């Protein structure tokens, strides 16, 4: 039920620690459970609102999410 509520949002800003573990697993689960395959395009990772434990893994995760349609933004640009 929570996934369906989140999926109805116009935009989903995501921040948190740790990008390559907690954020990564949460977003993978969320996107995998969206009923609408285009809903990932509503997700925006706030790159200055998160940090990776391992920069290499964090970068790989960001590339994975971009390939799935997720956008990247700074907090300032997101709120503008």
């Amino acid at each position: 039920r929570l996934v369906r509520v989140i999926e109805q949002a116009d935009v989903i800003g995501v921040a948190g620690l740790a990008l390559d573990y907690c954020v990564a697993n949460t977003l993978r689960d969320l996107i995998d459970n969206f009923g609408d395959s285009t809903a990932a395009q509503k997700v925006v990772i706030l790159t200055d609102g998160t940090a990776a434990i391992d920069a290499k893994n964090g970068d790989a995760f960001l590339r994975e999410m971009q390939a799935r349609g997720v956008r990247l933004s700074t907090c300032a640009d997101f709120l503008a």
Side-chain angles (χ1 to χ4, degrees), residues 15-26 50-54 58 61:
L17 295 175
L19 176 65
D20 47 337
Y21 291 96
C22 302
V23 175
N25 289 322
T26 299
T50 188
I53 301 297
D54 180 287
F61 170 68

Side-chain angles (χ1 to χ4, degrees), residues 2-79:
L2 179 59
V3 172
R4 298 297 164 253
V5 172
I6 293 170
E7 191 174 23
Q8 297 305 311
D10 293 330
V11 65
I12 305 158
V14 179
L17 295 175
L19 176 65
D20 47 337
Y21 291 96
C22 302
V23 175
N25 289 322
T26 299
L27 276 181
R28 286 179 183 125
D29 286 346
L30 183 65
I31 292 168
D32 287 347
N33 286 287
F34 279 159
D36 177 359
S37 62
T38 65
Q41 296 170 5
K42 299 179 185 182
V43 177
V44 180
I45 297 174
L46 306 174
T47 55
D48 57 345
T50 188
I53 301 297
D54 180 287
K56 190 176 181 180
N57 290 339
D59 290 344
F61 170 68
L62 291 176
R63 286 191 302 276
E64 172 192 339
M65 288 294 103
Q66 285 182 295
R68 294 181 76 175
V70 172
R71 294 174 287 149
L72 307 180
S73 176
T74 64
C75 291
D77 287 344
F78 181 76
L79 296 172

